[in-house]
Amino acid sequence: MVLEATMICIDNSEWMRNGDYSPNRFQALADAVNLICGAKTQSNPENTVGILTMAGKGVRVLVTPTSDLGKILACMHGLEIGGEMNLAAGIQVAQLALKHRQNKKQQQRIIVFAGSPVKYDKKVLEMIGRKLKKNSVALDVVNFGEDDDGKAEKLEALVAAVNNNESSHIIHVPAGPNALSDVLISTPIFTGDGEGGSGFAAAAAAAAAGGVSGFDFGVDPNLDPELALALRVSMEEERARQEAAAKKAADETATQEKGETSQDVTMAENVNTGTPEPENKATDLMEDENALLQQALAMSMDDASSNVATRDTDMSEAASEDQDLALALQLSVQDSTNDQSSQTDMSKLLADQSFVSSILASLPGVDPNDPSVKDLLASMQGQSEKKDEDTDKEQKEEKK
């Protein structure tokens, strides 16, 4: 694996606001820079990456070469866009930063993203390229965006002046539907100089090429065993989920087929019985009539038992009424007997003239010698005697 110290020069000029690259030039550049930083730091633990800007108020180093990927990615946030790109100054500052690297065994490489016009002449750029070659610095140039005033020719001349044993490259990326990072992922900027490159770059290149690689899921388990294991477990879970879904669908289909078969068998049995529908209806009516007849008989039996009970009740009531009647007759007979005896006693008292005269004399204002009083007493005695005679006759007749 190549041990490198890399400086990435990014273009943050006004030209980077254009939207011919999705979502815009600067965002496409930032995505590509993030991928390159990840590929460089994962290919060798001792690799370092630094970033500087070439526009704005001047060339500014955001982070010196470091192996801390988080620090590298954090410096990309909140960058200001404006001004014009100063390509020559940016390359020279990057070369100076690489010269002061801590590990002198690291090979030096500069990656330039040029998305705006280049204002320098071809000869100036060739002179810069020869100086880089003299200091054993490799150069990769990504040409995208504007192509005015022979920009491509100037950049190709620069790379040709730096190139030593095919260690430097230039990539032209035209505007189109493809993202900038997707185009660069299969280029030597990611894959290296044919010396094995990085596992991250190889996996990314395989993914860009359609996932064709010598390892499962496009990941070398020797380089990243945790990622390979996670991908394998995820694939097995997905396969189990698909198998469970397929089994459930097959069971539902079988259940529906069984239901249809049972319905067909039931219909066939109904047809094979050969019983016409009118006969079935007649049988049902006869069964209903028999049920009604049994119910009527039961009700009649209940009525008969209730009539018997009512009759017994009436007879008992009649008997009780007869007893009351007999008692009343006895009392009336006793009353009549008492009346007769009282009448007899009264007639006896009236027959006693001395008793009646004494009573009349005791009454105030009554004269017993008055003729009217005497006549009244005589008539009363006559009536009592007549009643006594009648009573005697009745008693004699009853005795006879």
Coordinates of all heavy atoms in Angstrom, one line a residue, residues 174-241:
P174 N -17.5 16.1 -17.8 CA -18.5 17.1 -18.4 C -19.7 17.1 -17.5 O -20.0 16.2 -16.7 CB -18.7 16.5 -19.8 CG -18.4 15.0 -19.6 CD -17.3 14.9 -18.6
A175 N -20.5 18.2 -17.7 CA -21.8 18.3 -17.0 C -22.7 17.2 -17.5 O -22.8 16.9 -18.7 CB -22.3 19.7 -17.2
G176 N -23.5 16.7 -16.6 CA -24.5 15.7 -17.0 C -25.3 15.2 -15.8 O -25.2 15.7 -14.7
P177 N -26.0 14.1 -16.0 CA -26.9 13.6 -14.9 C -26.0 12.9 -13.8 O -26.5 12.8 -12.7 CB -27.8 12.6 -15.6 CG -27.1 12.2 -16.8 CD -26.3 13.4 -17.3
N178 N -24.8 12.4 -14.2 CA -24.0 11.7 -13.2 C -23.4 12.6 -12.2 O -22.9 13.7 -12.6 CB -22.9 10.9 -13.9 CG -23.5 9.8 -14.8 OD1 -24.6 9.2 -14.5 ND2 -22.9 9.4 -15.9
A179 N -23.3 12.2 -11.0 CA -22.7 13.0 -10.0 C -21.1 13.0 -10.2 O -20.6 12.1 -10.7 CB -23.0 12.5 -8.6
L180 N -20.5 14.1 -9.7 CA -19.0 14.2 -9.9 C -18.3 13.0 -9.2 O -17.3 12.5 -9.7 CB -18.6 15.5 -9.3 CG -17.1 15.9 -9.5 CD1 -16.7 15.9 -11.0 CD2 -16.8 17.2 -8.8
S181 N -18.8 12.7 -8.0 CA -18.1 11.6 -7.2 C -18.3 10.2 -7.9 O -17.4 9.4 -7.9 CB -18.7 11.5 -5.8 OG -20.1 11.3 -5.9
D182 N -19.4 10.0 -8.6 CA -19.7 8.7 -9.3 C -18.7 8.6 -10.5 O -18.3 7.5 -10.8 CB -21.1 8.6 -9.7 CG -22.1 8.6 -8.6 OD1 -21.6 8.2 -7.5 OD2 -23.3 8.8 -8.8
V183 N -18.4 9.7 -11.1 CA -17.5 9.6 -12.3 C -16.0 9.4 -11.8 O -15.3 8.6 -12.4 CB -17.6 10.9 -13.1 CG1 -16.6 10.9 -14.2 CG2 -19.0 11.1 -13.7
L184 N -15.7 10.0 -10.7 CA -14.3 9.9 -10.2 C -14.0 8.6 -9.5 O -12.8 8.2 -9.4 CB -14.0 11.1 -9.3 CG -14.0 12.5 -9.9 CD1 -13.8 13.5 -8.8 CD2 -13.0 12.7 -11.0
I185 N -15.0 7.9 -9.1 CA -14.8 6.7 -8.2 C -14.1 5.6 -8.9 O -13.5 4.7 -8.3 CB -16.1 6.3 -7.6 CG1 -15.9 5.6 -6.3 CG2 -16.9 5.4 -8.6 CD1 -17.1 5.4 -5.5
S186 N -14.2 5.6 -10.2 CA -13.5 4.5 -11.0 C -12.2 5.0 -11.7 O -11.7 4.3 -12.6 CB -14.5 4.0 -12.1 OG -14.9 5.0 -12.9
T187 N -11.8 6.2 -11.4 CA -10.6 6.7 -12.0 C -9.3 6.4 -11.1 O -9.5 6.1 -10.0 CB -10.7 8.2 -12.2 OG1 -10.9 8.9 -10.9 CG2 -11.9 8.6 -13.1
P188 N -8.1 6.6 -11.7 CA -6.9 6.4 -10.9 C -6.8 7.3 -9.7 O -6.0 6.9 -8.7 CB -5.8 6.7 -11.9 CG -6.4 6.5 -13.2 CD -7.8 6.9 -13.1
I189 N -7.6 8.3 -9.6 CA -7.5 9.2 -8.4 C -8.0 8.4 -7.1 O -7.5 8.5 -6.0 CB -8.4 10.4 -8.6 CG1 -7.8 11.3 -9.7 CG2 -8.5 11.2 -7.3 CD1 -8.6 12.5 -10.0
F190 N -8.9 7.5 -7.4 CA -9.4 6.6 -6.3 C -8.6 5.3 -6.2 O -8.3 4.8 -5.2 CB -10.9 6.3 -6.5 CG -11.8 7.3 -5.8 CD1 -12.1 8.5 -6.5 CD2 -12.3 7.2 -4.6 CE1 -12.9 9.4 -6.0 CE2 -13.1 8.1 -4.0 CZ -13.4 9.2 -4.7
T191 N -8.4 4.7 -7.4 CA -7.9 3.3 -7.4 C -6.4 3.3 -7.3 O -5.8 2.2 -7.0 CB -8.2 2.7 -8.8 OG1 -7.7 3.5 -9.9 CG2 -9.7 2.5 -8.9
G192 N -5.7 4.4 -7.4 CA -4.2 4.4 -7.2 C -3.5 4.2 -8.5 O -4.0 4.3 -9.6
D193 N -2.2 4.0 -8.3 CA -1.3 3.9 -9.5 C -1.0 2.4 -9.9 O 0.1 2.1 -10.4 CB 0.1 4.5 -9.2 CG -0.1 6.0 -9.0 OD1 -1.0 6.6 -9.6 OD2 0.7 6.6 -8.1
G194 N -1.9 1.5 -9.7 CA -1.7 0.1 -10.1 C -0.9 -0.7 -9.0 O -0.5 -1.8 -9.3
E195 N -0.7 -0.1 -7.8 CA 0.0 -0.8 -6.8 C -0.9 -1.4 -5.7 O -0.5 -1.5 -4.6 CB 1.0 0.2 -6.2 CG 2.0 0.7 -7.2 CD 3.0 1.7 -6.5 OE1 2.9 1.9 -5.3 OE2 3.8 2.3 -7.2
G196 N -2.1 -1.7 -6.1 CA -3.0 -2.3 -5.2 C -4.1 -1.3 -4.8 O -5.2 -1.7 -4.6
G197 N -3.8 0.0 -4.6 CA -4.8 1.0 -4.2 C -5.3 0.7 -2.8 O -4.7 0.0 -2.0
S198 N -6.5 1.3 -2.5 CA -7.1 1.1 -1.2 C -8.3 0.2 -1.3 O -8.9 0.1 -2.4 CB -7.5 2.4 -0.6 OG -8.5 3.0 -1.4
G199 N -8.6 -0.5 -0.2 CA -9.8 -1.4 -0.2 C -11.1 -0.5 -0.4 O -12.0 -0.9 -1.0
F200 N -11.1 0.6 0.2 CA -12.3 1.5 0.1 C -12.5 1.9 -1.4 O -13.6 1.9 -1.9 CB -12.0 2.8 0.9 CG -13.1 3.8 0.8 CD1 -14.3 3.7 1.7 CD2 -13.1 4.8 -0.1 CE1 -15.3 4.6 1.6 CE2 -14.1 5.7 -0.2 CZ -15.2 5.6 0.7
A201 N -11.3 2.3 -2.0 CA -11.4 2.7 -3.4 C -11.8 1.5 -4.3 O -12.6 1.7 -5.3 CB -10.1 3.3 -3.9
A202 N -11.3 0.3 -4.0 CA -11.6 -0.8 -4.8 C -13.1 -1.2 -4.7 O -13.7 -1.5 -5.7 CB -10.7 -2.0 -4.4
A203 N -13.6 -1.1 -3.4 CA -15.0 -1.4 -3.2 C -15.9 -0.4 -3.9 O -16.9 -0.7 -4.5 CB -15.3 -1.5 -1.7
A204 N -15.5 0.9 -3.8 CA -16.3 1.9 -4.4 C -16.3 1.8 -5.9 O -17.3 2.0 -6.6 CB -15.7 3.3 -4.0
A205 N -15.1 1.4 -6.5 CA -15.0 1.2 -7.9 C -15.8 0.0 -8.4 O -16.5 0.1 -9.4 CB -13.5 1.0 -8.3
A206 N -15.8 -1.0 -7.6 CA -16.6 -2.2 -7.9 C -18.1 -1.8 -7.9 O -18.9 -2.3 -8.7 CB -16.4 -3.3 -6.9
A207 N -18.5 -1.0 -6.9 CA -19.9 -0.6 -6.8 C -20.3 0.2 -8.0 O -21.4 0.1 -8.6 CB -20.2 0.2 -5.5
A208 N -19.4 1.1 -8.4 CA -19.7 1.9 -9.6 C -19.8 1.1 -10.9 O -20.5 1.4 -11.8 CB -18.6 3.0 -9.7
A209 N -19.0 0.0 -10.9 CA -19.0 -0.9 -12.1 C -20.1 -1.9 -12.1 O -20.2 -2.7 -12.9 CB -17.7 -1.6 -12.2
G210 N -21.0 -1.8 -11.1 CA -22.1 -2.7 -11.1 C -22.0 -3.8 -10.0 O -22.7 -4.8 -10.0
G211 N -21.1 -3.6 -9.1 CA -20.9 -4.5 -7.9 C -20.1 -5.8 -8.3 O -20.1 -6.8 -7.5
V212 N -19.4 -5.8 -9.4 CA -18.5 -7.0 -9.8 C -17.2 -6.8 -9.0 O -16.4 -5.9 -9.3 CB -18.3 -7.0 -11.3 CG1 -17.5 -8.2 -11.6 CG2 -19.7 -7.0 -12.0
S213 N -16.9 -7.8 -8.2 CA -15.6 -7.8 -7.5 C -15.3 -9.2 -7.0 O -16.1 -10.1 -7.2 CB -15.6 -6.9 -6.3 OG -16.6 -7.3 -5.3
G214 N -14.1 -9.4 -6.5 CA -13.7 -10.8 -6.1 C -14.2 -11.2 -4.7 O -13.9 -12.3 -4.3
F215 N -14.9 -10.3 -4.0 CA -15.4 -10.5 -2.6 C -16.9 -10.4 -2.6 O -17.5 -9.7 -3.4 CB -14.8 -9.6 -1.7 CG -13.3 -9.5 -1.7 CD1 -12.6 -8.5 -2.4 CD2 -12.5 -10.6 -1.1 CE1 -11.2 -8.5 -2.4 CE2 -11.1 -10.5 -1.2 CZ -10.5 -9.5 -1.9
D216 N -17.5 -11.1 -1.6 CA -18.9 -10.9 -1.4 C -19.3 -9.5 -1.0 O -18.6 -8.9 -0.1 CB -19.4 -11.9 -0.2 CG -19.2 -13.3 -0.6 OD1 -19.2 -13.6 -1.9 OD2 -19.1 -14.2 0.3
F217 N -20.3 -9.0 -1.6 CA -20.8 -7.6 -1.3 C -19.8 -6.6 -1.7 O -19.9 -5.4 -1.4 CB -21.2 -7.4 0.1 CG -22.0 -8.6 0.7 CD1 -21.5 -9.4 1.7 CD2 -23.3 -8.8 0.2 CE1 -22.2 -10.4 2.2 CE2 -24.0 -9.9 0.7 CZ -23.5 -10.7 1.7
G218 N -18.7 -6.9 -2.5 CA -17.7 -5.9 -2.9 C -16.8 -5.4 -1.8 O -16.2 -4.4 -1.9
V219 N -16.7 -6.2 -0.7 CA -15.9 -5.7 0.5 C -14.9 -6.9 0.8 O -15.3 -8.0 0.9 CB -16.8 -5.4 1.7 CG1 -15.9 -5.0 2.9 CG2 -17.7 -4.3 1.4
D220 N -13.7 -6.5 1.0 CA -12.6 -7.5 1.3 C -12.7 -7.7 2.9 O -12.5 -6.7 3.6 CB -11.2 -6.9 1.0 CG -10.1 -8.0 1.2 OD1 -10.5 -9.1 1.7 OD2 -9.0 -7.7 0.9
P221 N -13.1 -8.9 3.3 CA -13.2 -9.1 4.8 C -11.8 -9.0 5.5 O -11.8 -8.7 6.7 CB -13.7 -10.5 4.9 CG -13.4 -11.2 3.6 CD -13.4 -10.1 2.6
N222 N -10.7 -9.1 4.8 CA -9.4 -8.9 5.5 C -9.2 -7.4 5.8 O -8.5 -7.1 6.8 CB -8.3 -9.4 4.6 CG -8.4 -10.9 4.3 OD1 -8.8 -11.7 5.2 ND2 -8.1 -11.3 3.1
L223 N -9.7 -6.5 5.0 CA -9.5 -5.1 5.3 C -10.5 -4.5 6.2 O -10.2 -3.7 7.1 CB -9.5 -4.3 3.9 CG -8.4 -4.7 2.9 CD1 -8.6 -3.9 1.6 CD2 -7.1 -4.3 3.5
D224 N -11.8 -5.0 6.1 CA -12.9 -4.4 6.9 C -13.8 -5.6 7.3 O -14.9 -5.8 6.8 CB -13.6 -3.4 6.2 CG -14.5 -2.5 7.1 OD1 -14.7 -2.9 8.3 OD2 -14.9 -1.4 6.7
P225 N -13.4 -6.4 8.3 CA -14.2 -7.6 8.6 C -15.5 -7.2 9.3 O -16.5 -7.9 9.1 CB -13.3 -8.3 9.7 CG -12.4 -7.3 10.2 CD -12.1 -6.3 9.1
E226 N -15.6 -6.1 10.0 CA -16.9 -5.7 10.6 C -17.9 -5.4 9.6 O -19.1 -5.8 9.7 CB -16.6 -4.6 11.6 CG -15.8 -5.0 12.8 CD -15.6 -3.8 13.7 OE1 -16.1 -2.7 13.4 OE2 -15.0 -3.9 14.8
L227 N -17.5 -4.6 8.6 CA -18.4 -4.2 7.5 C -18.9 -5.5 6.7 O -20.1 -5.6 6.4 CB -17.8 -3.2 6.6 CG -18.6 -2.8 5.4 CD1 -19.9 -2.1 5.8 CD2 -17.8 -1.8 4.5
A228 N -17.9 -6.4 6.4 CA -18.3 -7.6 5.7 C -19.3 -8.4 6.5 O -20.3 -9.0 6.0 CB -17.0 -8.4 5.4
L229 N -19.1 -8.6 7.8 CA -20.0 -9.3 8.7 C -21.4 -8.7 8.7 O -22.4 -9.4 8.7 CB -19.4 -9.5 10.1 CG -20.3 -10.2 11.1 CD1 -20.5 -11.6 10.6 CD2 -19.6 -10.2 12.5
A230 N -21.4 -7.4 8.9 CA -22.7 -6.6 8.9 C -23.4 -6.8 7.6 O -24.7 -7.0 7.6 CB -22.4 -5.2 9.2
L231 N -22.8 -6.7 6.5 CA -23.4 -6.9 5.2 C -23.9 -8.3 5.1 O -25.0 -8.6 4.6 CB -22.5 -6.6 4.1 CG -22.1 -5.1 3.9 CD1 -21.0 -5.0 2.9 CD2 -23.3 -4.3 3.6
R232 N -23.2 -9.3 5.5 CA -23.6 -10.7 5.4 C -24.8 -11.0 6.3 O -25.8 -11.6 5.9 CB -22.5 -11.6 5.8 CG -22.8 -13.1 5.6 CD -21.6 -14.0 6.0 NE -20.5 -13.8 5.1 CZ -19.4 -13.1 5.4 NH1 -19.2 -12.6 6.6 NH2 -18.4 -12.9 4.5
V233 N -24.8 -10.5 7.5 CA -26.0 -10.6 8.4 C -27.2 -10.0 7.9 O -28.3 -10.5 7.9 CB -25.6 -10.1 9.8 CG1 -26.9 -10.1 10.7 CG2 -24.5 -10.9 10.5
S234 N -27.0 -8.8 7.3 CA -28.2 -8.1 6.7 C -28.7 -8.8 5.6 O -30.0 -8.9 5.4 CB -27.7 -6.7 6.3 OG -28.8 -6.0 5.7
M235 N -27.8 -9.4 4.7 CA -28.3 -10.2 3.6 C -29.1 -11.4 4.0 O -30.1 -11.8 3.5 CB -27.1 -10.5 2.7 CG -27.5 -11.3 1.4 SD -28.6 -10.4 0.4 CE -27.5 -9.1 -0.2
E236 N -28.6 -12.1 5.1 CA -29.3 -13.3 5.6 C -30.6 -12.9 6.2 O -31.6 -13.7 6.0 CB -28.4 -14.0 6.6 CG -27.1 -14.6 6.1 CD -26.3 -15.2 7.1 OE1 -26.6 -15.1 8.3 OE2 -25.2 -15.8 6.8
E237 N -30.7 -11.8 6.9 CA -32.0 -11.4 7.4 C -33.0 -11.1 6.3 O -34.2 -11.4 6.4 CB -31.8 -10.2 8.3 CG -31.1 -10.5 9.6 CD -30.9 -9.3 10.5 OE1 -31.2 -8.2 10.0 OE2 -30.4 -9.4 11.6
E238 N -32.5 -10.4 5.3 CA -33.4 -10.1 4.2 C -33.9 -11.4 3.4 O -35.0 -11.5 3.1 CB -32.6 -9.2 3.2 CG -33.4 -8.8 2.0 CD -34.6 -7.9 2.3 OE1 -34.7 -7.4 3.4 OE2 -35.6 -7.8 1.5
R239 N -32.9 -12.3 3.3 CA -33.3 -13.6 2.6 C -34.4 -14.3 3.5 O -35.3 -14.9 2.9 CB -32.1 -14.4 2.4 CG -32.4 -15.7 1.6 CD -31.1 -16.6 1.5 NE -30.1 -15.9 0.7 CZ -29.0 -15.4 1.2 NH1 -28.7 -15.6 2.5 NH2 -28.1 -14.8 0.5
A240 N -34.2 -14.4 4.8 CA -35.1 -15.0 5.7 C -36.5 -14.3 5.6 O -37.6 -15.0 5.6 CB -34.6 -15.0 7.1
R241 N -36.5 -13.0 5.6 CA -37.7 -12.3 5.5 C -38.5 -12.6 4.2 O -39.7 -12.8 4.2 CB -37.5 -10.8 5.6 CG -38.7 -9.9 5.6 CD -38.4 -8.4 5.5 NE -37.9 -8.1 4.2 CZ -38.6 -8.0 3.1 NH1 -39.9 -8.1 3.2 NH2 -38.1 -7.7 2.0

